Amino acid sequence: MNNTEYEYSPQDFELAGNDHENYIDENYASQSYWKDILSRFKKNKGALVGLVFIALIVIMAAVGPGMNEHTYDSQIISHQNLAPRIPGIESFGVFDGTETMGTSTGTIVVNKYKSNPSLEKTYYWFGTDVLGRDIFTRTWTGTQISLYIAFIAVAVDMLFGMSYGLISGYFGGTVDMLMQRFVEVLNGIPTLVLVTLLIIVLKPGLGTITLALAITGWIGMSRIARAQVLKLKEQEFILASKTLGARDFFIIFKDILPNIFGQLIIMSMFSIPNAIFTEAFLAFVGLGVPQPMASLGSLISDAFKSFTTHPYMIVFPVVVLAVIMLSFNLLADGLRDAFDPKMKEM
């Protein structure tokens, strides 16, 4: 057995890494809760695209109706059924006022601008309808109504639905039971039936639709708020506030609400496309704003009657409505991932 002894000197060893770099702690800059949310939101390309399109639509809804000399209710019978014509682009053979019409004998290509000398310098960017009204102006006027409905949906959700759910979930017991039975009864009434009854009693118009949405549009938000309160009201920080003598409404709106505000924002964003679609559907079936006022739903309803002969009339309102709903859905999806990144993995 070899009993050779080895002697080691400090030069026989070498530290891993240079200048002790592996032993230096790294410090990461801390950031606030809202900055963290904003950072995650910026990484969601779909949400950013939705936000950009929403901004563009809001701008066009504000300035679009004033971009030409026409108004939403001005009629020029001699200009009826004119196809889209855009200056500058017409030289490329696109949007030059030419349309293909289907007849009983086949299809024909028509350009009413060239056949009528008085229309030589006339341009309608989205064309005109059967009454000679400018579809461009009416489309952006209808977009204003859709955005108004979106604002009403958020306001009703955040002011009434949120408060109703917070109070119901926090107090519980008999208060919760009575408030939830009322919600169930109200939710059992179909929106279409409710709007029809309101139109019979009240004057048809945007106010009636707003009232109908305000009556039932907050129910989903109230249920989300109540569910969140039921999860939080027995937490230690709530019990600590009660022990220190905080009043009930102080706890509801100062302790609980800030902890669930993100989920409520997400819910309100998802409710916007539903409210816009409801207004468009009601307008499509004839329960919307009265003529000559225009909404995207009424424009689609009117253009649907001429779809086989003049399909361009329905294209632009449908595209704008689809972009609005898709953009708000993308924005809501991005906010959900930003506020709760765990949801993205599910």
Side-chain angles (χ1 to χ4, degrees), residues 242-305:
K242 291 181 179 179
T243 304
L244 294 174
R247 295 185 177 182
D248 292 329
F249 284 97
F250 178 89
I251 295 174
I252 292 174
F253 293 102
K254 293 294 184 179
D255 291 337
I256 296 179
L257 180 58
N259 287 280
I260 65 174
F261 193 66
Q263 288 79 1
L264 300 185
I265 291 177
I266 296 168
M267 182 63 189
S268 66
M269 288 294 103
F270 276 114
S271 69
I272 289 176
N274 183 51
I276 293 175
F277 178 78
T278 300
E279 185 279 327
F281 167 74
L282 294 174
F284 185 82
V285 298
L287 299 177
V289 296
Q291 295 289 348
M293 178 60 72
S295 72
L296 293 178
S298 63
L299 289 174
I300 295 171
S301 177
D302 294 339
F304 183 74
K305 302 171 185 176

Side-chain angles (χ1 to χ4, degrees), residues 19-219:
D19 300 329
H20 305 282
E21 289 180 356
N22 291 342
Y23 298 94
I24 299 176
D25 293 333
E26 294 186 18
N27 295 324
Y28 295 92
S30 62
Q31 57 184 0
S32 66
Y33 172 70
W34 291 104
K35 286 185 178 180
D36 191 33
I37 291 174
L38 182 60
S39 176
R40 288 196 296 266
F41 180 80
K42 289 180 179 179
K43 296 177 182 179
N44 192 317
K45 296 181 180 179
L48 293 177
V49 170
L51 184 61
V52 169
F53 274 104
I54 290 173
L56 292 176
I57 288 173
V58 170
I59 293 173
M60 287 304 301
V63 304
M67 293 180 66
N68 54 43
E69 68 276 12
H70 304 289
T71 61
Y72 72 90
D73 57 351
S74 60
Q75 301 180 18
I76 305 176
I77 299 301
S78 60
H79 291 185
Q80 61 183 356
N81 301 331
L82 293 177
R85 187 186 185 195
I86 303 176
I89 299 180
E90 61 177 339
S91 59
F92 297 98
V94 182
F95 294 110
D96 59 352
T98 302
E99 64 172 325
T100 302
M101 299 178 57
T103 64
S104 57
T105 59
T107 59
I108 58 174
V109 178
V110 179
N111 191 323
K112 295 182 179 180
Y113 295 93
K114 294 182 179 179
S115 61
N116 189 342
S118 63
L119 299 176
E120 183 179 354
K121 296 184 179 180
T122 301
Y123 293 93
Y124 287 101
W125 298 342
F126 288 179
T128 62
D129 61 10
V130 294
L131 296 177
R133 296 175 296 193
D134 181 33
I135 297 178
F136 180 86
T137 302
R138 290 175 62 80
T139 296
W140 296 119
T141 301
T143 304
Q144 291 178 354
I145 294 179
S146 295
L147 295 176
Y148 165 79
I149 293 296
F151 172 77
I152 291 297
V154 173
V156 170
D157 275 350
M158 300 304 292
L159 295 178
F160 192 73
M162 179 187 69
S163 301
Y164 193 95
L166 289 173
I167 294 172
S168 176
Y170 179 80
F171 288 103
T174 304
V175 174
D176 182 48
M177 183 188 68
L178 293 175
M179 295 179 73
Q180 291 308 306
R181 298 299 81 77
F182 174 74
V183 168
E184 291 173 1
V185 171
L186 193 61
N187 193 41
I189 304 175
T191 303
L192 184 59
V193 174
L194 181 62
V195 173
T196 305
L197 293 175
L198 288 175
I199 290 178
I200 293 174
V201 177
L202 303 175
K203 181 181 179 180
L206 188 59
T208 303
I209 297 176
T210 302
L211 181 59
L213 293 174
I215 291 175
T216 59
W218 53 271
I219 294 177

Side-chain angles (χ1 to χ4, degrees), residues 209-232:
I209 297 176
T210 302
L211 181 59
L213 293 174
I215 291 175
T216 59
W218 53 271
I219 294 177
M221 172 62 79
S222 70
R223 288 176 171 172
I224 295 296
R226 175 178 177 269
Q228 295 294 326
V229 172
L230 291 176
K231 291 196 306 182
L232 291 179

